[in-house]
Amino acid sequence: MSLFTKVGKKFEETKQSVIGSKQSTYVCHSCEEAVAEEYEHCPHCGEGPVELANNC
Ligand SMILES: [Zn+2]
């Protein structure tokens, strides 16, 4: 169970770095969470799809 907590924390850090970076960022259409890669199904909510987010 503690493993899940650690993974969850790590995931939050990863998400922050993804949002902060200037690399390509994908955003879920369903829950609008940012993800690092293009997924057919969002890892956050299981819905999707995720799409490239261009924050000009
Ligand atoms: Zn989602």
Side-chain angles (χ1 to χ4, degrees):
M1 282 187 280
S2 60
L3 179 62
F4 281 111
T5 308
K6 282 187 178 179
V7 170
K9 191 172 192 298
K10 184 67 179 174
F11 193 78
E12 284 298 309
E13 291 171 358
T14 303
K15 189 169 72 176
Q16 290 301 319
S17 68
V18 166
I19 293 171
S21 79
K22 299 200 172 185
Q23 292 183 327
S24 298
T25 302
Y26 294 85
V27 174
C28 173
H29 271 246
S30 242
C31 65
E32 299 186 338
E33 287 281 349
V35 295
E37 298 174 41
E38 186 171 17
Y39 292 98
E40 195 171 339
H41 297 284
C42 170
H44 295 282
C45 65
E47 298 292 323
V50 297
E51 195 169 77
L52 185 63
N54 288 322
N55 300 317
C56 297

